[in-house]
Amino acid sequence: MVNAMKKRIIDYNLEGKKVIIRVDFNVPIKDGEILDDNRIKQSLETINYALEHNAKVILLSHLGRVKEESDKESNTLEPVALRLSELLDKEIIFVTETRGKILEDEINNMKNGDIILVENTRFEDIDGKKESGNDEELGAYWASLGDIFINDAFGTSHRSHASNVGIASNLPNGIGFLIEKELNVIEPAIKNPKRPFTVILGGSKVSDKIGVIKNLVNNADYILIGGGMAFTFLKSQGINIGSSLLDEENIDFCKKIMEENKDKIILPIDVVTSTNIDVPTDVREIFISDIKDKEIGLDIGHQTIKLFKSYLEDSNTIIWNGPVGKFENEEYANGTKELCKILDGKTTTIIGGGDTASAVINLGFKDSFTHISTGGGATLELLEGKKLPGIEIIEDK
Ligand code: AMP
């Protein structure tokens, strides 16, 4: 396995040790209610392992963005502490301070098998972006609270923050089971895919996916393009895209990459359009050559689904990043839904995190894939061939 080189939680004797685990509890919360607890559930394996091995577990996570005092209330981790307590059927000591005597006293009073959840690490961003800017003093301070550091926050591992890179620089460290799982699925799929290897790209902007296209275009057998980004590609081929999403600056990039990879990059041949982006109006399913000036392409059509299916059916590795339609509206969810059905049960199917993960989960396909990543940005950077600083910093074996 690729990450067999990195130290893991199982490489340490945790008995009686204060183990700081950086988890990814950055979950959607509305009015104090957690809308999707998948990331909390995904972190349980590592937490349970530490508890079973008699550690004193100190959990750190960020939640949302915190720029000023008034952001604190809506970004407290308190609802997460309650949910975690339910999931583990165990008391969680929630500490409302990210540093200072209260936190230190709580840690000093811990018994083996206790868990502390520290308040949102990004509360430290109010005073000069200390967390997000990987302030040296903050990383060293948090490290001073524990004996061992385990990074299990895959979703933040593409960032160099005080709560991952900062702490890891100051303590013996390793990766947790979630990061291990993510790497063990995603890295071999990119580096040594079972062929044919097909990448599905969608979402709104071409600019977000340029790095992925450049990195994978030689390695992948096919790249199927849908979503808003397809229209910049279509425009680059001289097609009238009406009022569809256009990433003007990247038309030349699309044109060039299409010229070099005509048989590899597959574009939609029909689309579902509306004349109003918010309210479905005069909705039509038409060939791309029939798009009128006022029409906006918002989903792939049935002929495109059939075309994509012909590539996907034979593929043995499929990585999907970005919904192929404006799936939040039922009217434009069909393409994304149908692709889920085509992928269901196929050999290796990986869903990049972020919007694609919420799309397939919301559409009812949670169990249809080999892997749904917990990290949007982190997966994207792996697909771009980049190294993730939160994982790079972890000691090699
Ligand atoms: P991204 O964050 O770039 O992965 O984009 C995801 C967003 O792209 C989702 O919110 C979709 O609603 C949106 N999207 C997908 N297809 C289209 C489209 N044809 N036109 C506009 N937005 C789209």
mmCIF file of all heavy atoms in Angstrom, residues 23-27 36-43 62 152-158 177-183 186 350-355 357-358 361 371-380:
data_model
loop_
_atom_site.group_PDB
_atom_site.id
_atom_site.type_symbol
_atom_site.label_atom_id
_atom_site.label_comp_id
_atom_site.label_asym_id
_atom_site.label_seq_id
_atom_site.Cartn_x
_atom_site.Cartn_y
_atom_site.Cartn_z
ATOM 1 N N VAL A 23 -9.394 15.501 14.003
ATOM 2 C CA VAL A 23 -10.481 14.884 13.245
ATOM 3 C C VAL A 23 -11.115 15.940 12.343
ATOM 4 O O VAL A 23 -10.852 17.133 12.496
ATOM 5 C CB VAL A 23 -11.556 14.289 14.195
ATOM 6 C CG1 VAL A 23 -11.097 12.976 14.807
ATOM 7 C CG2 VAL A 23 -11.941 15.280 15.279
ATOM 8 N N ASP A 24 -11.929 15.482 11.417
ATOM 9 C CA ASP A 24 -12.628 16.426 10.540
ATOM 10 C C ASP A 24 -14.105 16.411 10.915
ATOM 11 O O ASP A 24 -14.871 15.583 10.432
ATOM 12 C CB ASP A 24 -12.427 16.025 9.078
ATOM 13 C CG ASP A 24 -13.115 16.992 8.127
ATOM 14 O OD1 ASP A 24 -13.699 17.980 8.617
ATOM 15 O OD2 ASP A 24 -13.079 16.755 6.907
ATOM 16 N N PHE A 25 -14.459 17.322 11.818
ATOM 17 C CA PHE A 25 -15.859 17.456 12.239
ATOM 18 C C PHE A 25 -16.482 18.674 11.567
ATOM 19 O O PHE A 25 -17.419 19.284 12.102
ATOM 20 C CB PHE A 25 -15.954 17.608 13.768
ATOM 21 C CG PHE A 25 -15.699 16.335 14.536
ATOM 22 C CD1 PHE A 25 -15.381 16.379 15.892
ATOM 23 C CD2 PHE A 25 -15.795 15.090 13.933
ATOM 24 C CE1 PHE A 25 -15.163 15.218 16.624
ATOM 25 C CE2 PHE A 25 -15.579 13.909 14.651
ATOM 26 C CZ PHE A 25 -15.255 13.981 15.997
ATOM 27 N N ASN A 26 -15.976 19.032 10.420
ATOM 28 C CA ASN A 26 -16.513 20.185 9.693
ATOM 29 C C ASN A 26 -17.788 19.755 8.965
ATOM 30 O O ASN A 26 -17.788 19.512 7.764
ATOM 31 C CB ASN A 26 -15.462 20.692 8.706
ATOM 32 C CG ASN A 26 -15.898 21.959 8.008
ATOM 33 O OD1 ASN A 26 -16.645 22.760 8.573
ATOM 34 N ND2 ASN A 26 -15.465 22.129 6.771
ATOM 35 N N VAL A 27 -18.865 19.622 9.744
ATOM 36 C CA VAL A 27 -20.127 19.094 9.212
ATOM 37 C C VAL A 27 -21.129 20.239 8.994
ATOM 38 O O VAL A 27 -21.042 21.269 9.666
ATOM 39 C CB VAL A 27 -20.742 18.033 10.173
ATOM 40 C CG1 VAL A 27 -19.866 16.799 10.233
ATOM 41 C CG2 VAL A 27 -20.939 18.607 11.581
ATOM 42 N N ASP A 36 -25.725 16.466 8.306
ATOM 43 C CA ASP A 36 -25.099 15.253 7.769
ATOM 44 C C ASP A 36 -23.943 14.888 8.702
ATOM 45 O O ASP A 36 -22.966 15.637 8.807
ATOM 46 C CB ASP A 36 -24.588 15.549 6.339
ATOM 47 C CG ASP A 36 -23.810 14.387 5.749
ATOM 48 O OD1 ASP A 36 -23.758 13.317 6.394
ATOM 49 O OD2 ASP A 36 -23.251 14.553 4.650
ATOM 50 N N ASP A 37 -24.077 13.736 9.388
ATOM 51 C CA ASP A 37 -23.057 13.385 10.393
ATOM 52 C C ASP A 37 -22.040 12.383 9.863
ATOM 53 O O ASP A 37 -21.303 11.756 10.626
ATOM 54 C CB ASP A 37 -23.716 12.866 11.675
ATOM 55 C CG ASP A 37 -24.502 11.581 11.455
ATOM 56 O OD1 ASP A 37 -24.515 11.075 10.305
ATOM 57 O OD2 ASP A 37 -25.091 11.079 12.433
ATOM 58 N N ASN A 38 -21.980 12.244 8.514
ATOM 59 C CA ASN A 38 -21.085 11.254 7.914
ATOM 60 C C ASN A 38 -19.639 11.396 8.398
ATOM 61 O O ASN A 38 -18.982 10.416 8.741
ATOM 62 C CB ASN A 38 -21.152 11.371 6.377
ATOM 63 C CG ASN A 38 -20.279 10.342 5.696
ATOM 64 O OD1 ASN A 38 -20.270 9.172 6.093
ATOM 65 N ND2 ASN A 38 -19.514 10.761 4.706
ATOM 66 N N ARG A 39 -19.142 12.638 8.429
ATOM 67 C CA ARG A 39 -17.744 12.828 8.832
ATOM 68 C C ARG A 39 -17.507 12.416 10.292
ATOM 69 O O ARG A 39 -16.430 11.927 10.627
ATOM 70 C CB ARG A 39 -17.336 14.282 8.631
ATOM 71 C CG ARG A 39 -17.043 14.584 7.182
ATOM 72 C CD ARG A 39 -16.657 16.014 6.988
ATOM 73 N NE ARG A 39 -15.988 16.210 5.708
ATOM 74 C CZ ARG A 39 -15.760 17.397 5.172
ATOM 75 N NH1 ARG A 39 -16.143 18.477 5.791
ATOM 76 N NH2 ARG A 39 -15.130 17.492 4.027
ATOM 77 N N ILE A 40 -18.512 12.624 11.141
ATOM 78 C CA ILE A 40 -18.351 12.211 12.546
ATOM 79 C C ILE A 40 -18.281 10.688 12.602
ATOM 80 O O ILE A 40 -17.407 10.110 13.251
ATOM 81 C CB ILE A 40 -19.518 12.732 13.427
ATOM 82 C CG1 ILE A 40 -19.675 14.249 13.264
ATOM 83 C CG2 ILE A 40 -19.293 12.376 14.888
ATOM 84 C CD1 ILE A 40 -20.871 14.840 13.993
ATOM 85 N N LYS A 41 -19.183 10.052 11.853
ATOM 86 C CA LYS A 41 -19.202 8.581 11.845
ATOM 87 C C LYS A 41 -17.883 8.017 11.317
ATOM 88 O O LYS A 41 -17.377 7.022 11.815
ATOM 89 C CB LYS A 41 -20.365 8.075 10.990
ATOM 90 C CG LYS A 41 -21.709 8.241 11.679
ATOM 91 C CD LYS A 41 -22.809 7.674 10.825
ATOM 92 C CE LYS A 41 -24.147 7.751 11.544
ATOM 93 N NZ LYS A 41 -25.257 7.851 10.607
ATOM 94 N N GLN A 42 -17.364 8.680 10.276
ATOM 95 C CA GLN A 42 -16.124 8.184 9.660
ATOM 96 C C GLN A 42 -14.925 8.283 10.599
ATOM 97 O O GLN A 42 -13.913 7.629 10.382
ATOM 98 C CB GLN A 42 -15.807 8.983 8.386
ATOM 99 C CG GLN A 42 -16.838 8.877 7.291
ATOM 100 C CD GLN A 42 -16.676 7.607 6.479
ATOM 101 O OE1 GLN A 42 -15.680 6.915 6.567
ATOM 102 N NE2 GLN A 42 -17.677 7.296 5.687
ATOM 103 N N SER A 43 -15.037 9.129 11.622
ATOM 104 C CA SER A 43 -13.897 9.307 12.529
ATOM 105 C C SER A 43 -13.925 8.306 13.698
ATOM 106 O O SER A 43 -12.977 8.209 14.470
ATOM 107 C CB SER A 43 -13.899 10.730 13.090
ATOM 108 O OG SER A 43 -14.974 10.863 14.000
ATOM 109 N N HIS A 62 -11.715 21.781 13.135
ATOM 110 C CA HIS A 62 -12.250 23.100 12.802
ATOM 111 C C HIS A 62 -13.704 22.922 12.389
ATOM 112 O O HIS A 62 -14.169 21.784 12.186
ATOM 113 C CB HIS A 62 -11.450 23.765 11.678
ATOM 114 C CG HIS A 62 -11.777 23.262 10.314
ATOM 115 N ND1 HIS A 62 -11.300 22.058 9.834
ATOM 116 C CD2 HIS A 62 -12.534 23.776 9.322
ATOM 117 C CE1 HIS A 62 -11.747 21.870 8.610
ATOM 118 N NE2 HIS A 62 -12.506 22.890 8.272
ATOM 119 N N ASP A 152 -6.171 12.497 11.490
ATOM 120 C CA ASP A 152 -7.189 11.690 10.798
ATOM 121 C C ASP A 152 -8.172 12.584 10.042
ATOM 122 O O ASP A 152 -9.243 12.140 9.654
ATOM 123 C CB ASP A 152 -7.936 10.804 11.801
ATOM 124 C CG ASP A 152 -8.409 9.508 11.124
ATOM 125 O OD1 ASP A 152 -7.824 9.128 10.082
ATOM 126 O OD2 ASP A 152 -9.349 8.882 11.634
ATOM 127 N N ALA A 153 -7.777 13.849 9.867
ATOM 128 C CA ALA A 153 -8.672 14.794 9.170
ATOM 129 C C ALA A 153 -8.255 14.866 7.707
ATOM 130 O O ALA A 153 -7.502 15.762 7.310
ATOM 131 C CB ALA A 153 -8.587 16.161 9.826
ATOM 132 N N PHE A 154 -8.744 13.920 6.906
ATOM 133 C CA PHE A 154 -8.372 13.909 5.493
ATOM 134 C C PHE A 154 -8.814 15.205 4.810
ATOM 135 O O PHE A 154 -8.081 15.784 4.018
ATOM 136 C CB PHE A 154 -9.006 12.702 4.794
ATOM 137 C CG PHE A 154 -8.665 12.649 3.336
ATOM 138 C CD1 PHE A 154 -7.388 12.341 2.920
ATOM 139 C CD2 PHE A 154 -9.630 12.925 2.369
ATOM 140 C CE1 PHE A 154 -7.057 12.318 1.567
ATOM 141 C CE2 PHE A 154 -9.314 12.901 1.020
ATOM 142 C CZ PHE A 154 -8.022 12.593 0.624
ATOM 143 N N GLY A 155 -10.020 15.662 5.162
ATOM 144 C CA GLY A 155 -10.603 16.840 4.515
ATOM 145 C C GLY A 155 -9.797 18.120 4.684
ATOM 146 O O GLY A 155 -10.003 19.083 3.953
ATOM 147 N N THR A 156 -8.873 18.153 5.645
ATOM 148 C CA THR A 156 -8.042 19.355 5.848
ATOM 149 C C THR A 156 -6.584 19.084 5.504
ATOM 150 O O THR A 156 -5.735 19.949 5.676
ATOM 151 C CB THR A 156 -8.022 19.793 7.338
ATOM 152 O OG1 THR A 156 -9.116 19.212 8.017
ATOM 153 C CG2 THR A 156 -8.080 21.283 7.482
ATOM 154 N N SER A 157 -6.284 17.876 5.036
ATOM 155 C CA SER A 157 -4.879 17.500 4.890
ATOM 156 C C SER A 157 -4.187 18.222 3.738
ATOM 157 O O SER A 157 -2.974 18.180 3.629
ATOM 158 C CB SER A 157 -4.749 15.985 4.737
ATOM 159 O OG SER A 157 -5.513 15.568 3.648
ATOM 160 N N HIS A 158 -4.968 18.919 2.885
ATOM 161 C CA HIS A 158 -4.326 19.712 1.825
ATOM 162 C C HIS A 158 -3.974 21.104 2.329
ATOM 163 O O HIS A 158 -3.501 21.931 1.557
ATOM 164 C CB HIS A 158 -5.220 19.783 0.587
ATOM 165 C CG HIS A 158 -6.569 20.397 0.844
ATOM 166 N ND1 HIS A 158 -7.394 20.002 1.861
ATOM 167 C CD2 HIS A 158 -7.219 21.403 0.208
ATOM 168 C CE1 HIS A 158 -8.498 20.723 1.838
ATOM 169 N NE2 HIS A 158 -8.415 21.578 0.846
ATOM 170 N N PHE A 177 -7.081 5.863 10.894
ATOM 171 C CA PHE A 177 -7.655 4.888 9.945
ATOM 172 C C PHE A 177 -8.374 5.543 8.768
ATOM 173 O O PHE A 177 -8.420 4.990 7.681
ATOM 174 C CB PHE A 177 -8.622 3.952 10.673
ATOM 175 C CG PHE A 177 -7.933 3.078 11.679
ATOM 176 C CD1 PHE A 177 -8.176 3.241 13.037
ATOM 177 C CD2 PHE A 177 -7.019 2.112 11.278
ATOM 178 C CE1 PHE A 177 -7.533 2.446 13.973
ATOM 179 C CE2 PHE A 177 -6.368 1.307 12.208
ATOM 180 C CZ PHE A 177 -6.623 1.479 13.567
ATOM 181 N N LEU A 178 -8.971 6.722 9.000
ATOM 182 C CA LEU A 178 -9.720 7.357 7.915
ATOM 183 C C LEU A 178 -8.768 7.827 6.807
ATOM 184 O O LEU A 178 -8.995 7.552 5.621
ATOM 185 C CB LEU A 178 -10.555 8.532 8.446
ATOM 186 C CG LEU A 178 -11.297 9.348 7.385
ATOM 187 C CD1 LEU A 178 -12.219 8.472 6.559
ATOM 188 C CD2 LEU A 178 -12.093 10.476 8.027
ATOM 189 N N ILE A 179 -7.702 8.507 7.199
ATOM 190 C CA ILE A 179 -6.733 8.964 6.193
ATOM 191 C C ILE A 179 -6.142 7.749 5.474
ATOM 192 O O ILE A 179 -5.978 7.750 4.252
ATOM 193 C CB ILE A 179 -5.624 9.827 6.847
ATOM 194 C CG1 ILE A 179 -6.205 11.198 7.188
ATOM 195 C CG2 ILE A 179 -4.407 9.957 5.924
ATOM 196 C CD1 ILE A 179 -5.216 12.296 7.459
ATOM 197 N N GLU A 180 -5.871 6.724 6.255
ATOM 198 C CA GLU A 180 -5.302 5.507 5.661
ATOM 199 C C GLU A 180 -6.236 4.940 4.581
ATOM 200 O O GLU A 180 -5.821 4.613 3.481
ATOM 201 C CB GLU A 180 -5.158 4.495 6.788
ATOM 202 C CG GLU A 180 -4.053 3.515 6.569
ATOM 203 C CD GLU A 180 -3.933 2.605 7.781
ATOM 204 O OE1 GLU A 180 -3.959 3.088 8.930
ATOM 205 O OE2 GLU A 180 -3.831 1.401 7.561
ATOM 206 N N LYS A 181 -7.524 4.893 4.934
ATOM 207 C CA LYS A 181 -8.519 4.347 4.001
ATOM 208 C C LYS A 181 -8.598 5.204 2.734
ATOM 209 O O LYS A 181 -8.595 4.691 1.613
ATOM 210 C CB LYS A 181 -9.885 4.298 4.704
ATOM 211 C CG LYS A 181 -10.944 3.540 3.949
ATOM 212 C CD LYS A 181 -12.125 3.209 4.842
ATOM 213 C CE LYS A 181 -13.114 4.348 4.896
ATOM 214 N NZ LYS A 181 -14.242 4.159 5.801
ATOM 215 N N GLU A 182 -8.642 6.517 2.926
ATOM 216 C CA GLU A 182 -8.742 7.434 1.775
ATOM 217 C C GLU A 182 -7.547 7.228 0.844
ATOM 218 O O GLU A 182 -7.710 7.093 -0.376
ATOM 219 C CB GLU A 182 -8.769 8.897 2.253
ATOM 220 C CG GLU A 182 -9.979 9.278 3.097
ATOM 221 C CD GLU A 182 -11.147 9.814 2.266
ATOM 222 O OE1 GLU A 182 -11.095 9.757 1.030
ATOM 223 O OE2 GLU A 182 -12.137 10.273 2.885
ATOM 224 N N LEU A 183 -6.346 7.202 1.411
ATOM 225 C CA LEU A 183 -5.145 7.078 0.582
ATOM 226 C C LEU A 183 -5.069 5.713 -0.094
ATOM 227 O O LEU A 183 -4.666 5.603 -1.250
ATOM 228 C CB LEU A 183 -3.876 7.284 1.419
ATOM 229 C CG LEU A 183 -3.682 8.679 2.008
ATOM 230 C CD1 LEU A 183 -2.385 8.726 2.811
ATOM 231 C CD2 LEU A 183 -3.639 9.745 0.915
ATOM 232 N N ILE A 186 -7.657 5.977 -3.044
ATOM 233 C CA ILE A 186 -7.490 6.992 -4.088
ATOM 234 C C ILE A 186 -6.127 6.897 -4.794
ATOM 235 O O ILE A 186 -6.062 6.935 -6.023
ATOM 236 C CB ILE A 186 -7.696 8.417 -3.513
ATOM 237 C CG1 ILE A 186 -9.105 8.551 -2.915
ATOM 238 C CG2 ILE A 186 -7.489 9.479 -4.596
ATOM 239 C CD1 ILE A 186 -9.343 9.812 -2.107
ATOM 240 N N ILE A 350 -14.877 5.746 -7.323
ATOM 241 C CA ILE A 350 -14.498 6.685 -6.271
ATOM 242 C C ILE A 350 -15.194 8.017 -6.493
ATOM 243 O O ILE A 350 -15.118 8.594 -7.580
ATOM 244 C CB ILE A 350 -12.974 6.890 -6.271
ATOM 245 C CG1 ILE A 350 -12.292 5.549 -5.979
ATOM 246 C CG2 ILE A 350 -12.566 7.950 -5.248
ATOM 247 C CD1 ILE A 350 -10.796 5.582 -6.122
ATOM 248 N N ILE A 351 -15.870 8.474 -5.462
ATOM 249 C CA ILE A 351 -16.549 9.762 -5.541
ATOM 250 C C ILE A 351 -15.723 10.784 -4.782
ATOM 251 O O ILE A 351 -15.460 10.613 -3.580
ATOM 252 C CB ILE A 351 -17.957 9.674 -4.876
ATOM 253 C CG1 ILE A 351 -18.783 8.520 -5.460
ATOM 254 C CG2 ILE A 351 -18.698 10.999 -4.977
ATOM 255 C CD1 ILE A 351 -19.107 8.644 -6.912
ATOM 256 N N GLY A 352 -15.281 11.830 -5.475
ATOM 257 C CA GLY A 352 -14.570 12.917 -4.810
ATOM 258 C C GLY A 352 -15.511 13.529 -3.794
ATOM 259 O O GLY A 352 -16.731 13.428 -3.938
ATOM 260 N N GLY A 353 -14.969 14.168 -2.770
ATOM 261 C CA GLY A 353 -15.828 14.694 -1.694
ATOM 262 C C GLY A 353 -16.632 15.900 -2.136
ATOM 263 O O GLY A 353 -16.987 16.020 -3.309
ATOM 264 N N GLY A 354 -16.912 16.777 -1.196
ATOM 265 C CA GLY A 354 -17.596 18.037 -1.485
ATOM 266 C C GLY A 354 -18.957 17.839 -2.111
ATOM 267 O O GLY A 354 -19.746 16.994 -1.680
ATOM 268 N N ASP A 355 -19.214 18.610 -3.162
ATOM 269 C CA ASP A 355 -20.529 18.611 -3.806
ATOM 270 C C ASP A 355 -20.920 17.272 -4.400
ATOM 271 O O ASP A 355 -22.091 16.903 -4.401
ATOM 272 C CB ASP A 355 -20.536 19.626 -4.955
ATOM 273 C CG ASP A 355 -20.870 21.011 -4.439
ATOM 274 O OD1 ASP A 355 -21.695 21.087 -3.517
ATOM 275 O OD2 ASP A 355 -20.307 21.980 -4.956
ATOM 276 N N ALA A 357 -20.029 14.298 -3.360
ATOM 277 C CA ALA A 357 -20.421 13.402 -2.268
ATOM 278 C C ALA A 357 -21.828 13.744 -1.790
ATOM 279 O O ALA A 357 -22.678 12.851 -1.667
ATOM 280 C CB ALA A 357 -19.418 13.501 -1.119
ATOM 281 N N SER A 358 -22.098 15.039 -1.557
ATOM 282 C CA SER A 358 -23.458 15.352 -1.080
ATOM 283 C C SER A 358 -24.491 15.053 -2.152
ATOM 284 O O SER A 358 -25.593 14.614 -1.835
ATOM 285 C CB SER A 358 -23.606 16.778 -0.564
ATOM 286 O OG SER A 358 -22.738 17.652 -1.171
ATOM 287 N N ILE A 361 -25.119 11.217 -2.138
ATOM 288 C CA ILE A 361 -25.754 10.804 -0.875
ATOM 289 C C ILE A 361 -27.204 11.307 -0.844
ATOM 290 O O ILE A 361 -28.133 10.552 -0.568
ATOM 291 C CB ILE A 361 -24.942 11.301 0.344
ATOM 292 C CG1 ILE A 361 -23.591 10.562 0.416
ATOM 293 C CG2 ILE A 361 -25.722 11.094 1.651
ATOM 294 C CD1 ILE A 361 -22.583 11.115 1.401
ATOM 295 N N HIS A 371 -16.007 3.898 -2.803
ATOM 296 C CA HIS A 371 -15.534 4.871 -1.824
ATOM 297 C C HIS A 371 -16.125 6.252 -2.088
ATOM 298 O O HIS A 371 -16.098 6.724 -3.223
ATOM 299 C CB HIS A 371 -13.999 4.941 -1.913
ATOM 300 C CG HIS A 371 -13.379 5.847 -0.902
ATOM 301 N ND1 HIS A 371 -13.407 5.587 0.445
ATOM 302 C CD2 HIS A 371 -12.709 7.007 -1.035
ATOM 303 C CE1 HIS A 371 -12.782 6.558 1.087
ATOM 304 N NE2 HIS A 371 -12.348 7.434 0.214
ATOM 305 N N ILE A 372 -16.672 6.857 -1.033
ATOM 306 C CA ILE A 372 -17.069 8.269 -1.125
ATOM 307 C C ILE A 372 -16.109 9.035 -0.221
ATOM 308 O O ILE A 372 -16.099 8.839 0.992
ATOM 309 C CB ILE A 372 -18.523 8.497 -0.663
ATOM 310 C CG1 ILE A 372 -19.495 7.685 -1.537
ATOM 311 C CG2 ILE A 372 -18.869 9.982 -0.720
ATOM 312 C CD1 ILE A 372 -20.959 7.839 -1.145
ATOM 313 N N SER A 373 -15.291 9.878 -0.818
ATOM 314 C CA SER A 373 -14.267 10.569 -0.044
ATOM 315 C C SER A 373 -14.879 11.597 0.905
ATOM 316 O O SER A 373 -15.906 12.197 0.605
ATOM 317 C CB SER A 373 -13.292 11.254 -0.982
ATOM 318 O OG SER A 373 -12.377 12.005 -0.228
ATOM 319 N N THR A 374 -14.207 11.791 2.058
ATOM 320 C CA THR A 374 -14.668 12.817 3.008
ATOM 321 C C THR A 374 -13.998 14.163 2.724
ATOM 322 O O THR A 374 -14.252 15.144 3.417
ATOM 323 C CB THR A 374 -14.324 12.425 4.469
ATOM 324 O OG1 THR A 374 -12.916 12.159 4.552
ATOM 325 C CG2 THR A 374 -15.108 11.225 4.917
ATOM 326 N N GLY A 375 -13.137 14.201 1.715
ATOM 327 C CA GLY A 375 -12.412 15.450 1.458
ATOM 328 C C GLY A 375 -12.561 15.948 0.043
ATOM 329 O O GLY A 375 -12.079 15.312 -0.891
ATOM 330 N N GLY A 376 -13.254 17.072 -0.152
ATOM 331 C CA GLY A 376 -13.424 17.640 -1.490
ATOM 332 C C GLY A 376 -12.113 18.187 -2.030
ATOM 333 O O GLY A 376 -11.549 17.688 -3.001
ATOM 334 N N GLY A 377 -11.609 19.242 -1.356
ATOM 335 C CA GLY A 377 -10.365 19.883 -1.784
ATOM 336 C C GLY A 377 -9.187 18.936 -1.748
ATOM 337 O O GLY A 377 -8.339 18.940 -2.651
ATOM 338 N N ALA A 378 -9.121 18.102 -0.709
ATOM 339 C CA ALA A 378 -7.981 17.183 -0.567
ATOM 340 C C ALA A 378 -7.968 16.169 -1.714
ATOM 341 O O ALA A 378 -6.912 15.891 -2.301
ATOM 342 C CB ALA A 378 -8.045 16.473 0.777
ATOM 343 N N THR A 379 -9.131 15.626 -2.052
ATOM 344 C CA THR A 379 -9.199 14.657 -3.161
ATOM 345 C C THR A 379 -8.795 15.331 -4.465
ATOM 346 O O THR A 379 -8.044 14.768 -5.259
ATOM 347 C CB THR A 379 -10.637 14.110 -3.341
ATOM 348 O OG1 THR A 379 -11.129 13.759 -2.081
ATOM 349 C CG2 THR A 379 -10.675 12.898 -4.244
ATOM 350 N N LEU A 380 -9.311 16.532 -4.656
ATOM 351 C CA LEU A 380 -9.005 17.271 -5.878
ATOM 352 C C LEU A 380 -7.490 17.464 -6.006
ATOM 353 O O LEU A 380 -6.914 17.278 -7.083
ATOM 354 C CB LEU A 380 -9.712 18.631 -5.835
ATOM 355 C CG LEU A 380 -10.124 19.233 -7.170
ATOM 356 C CD1 LEU A 380 -11.033 18.315 -7.945
ATOM 357 C CD2 LEU A 380 -10.826 20.572 -6.938
#
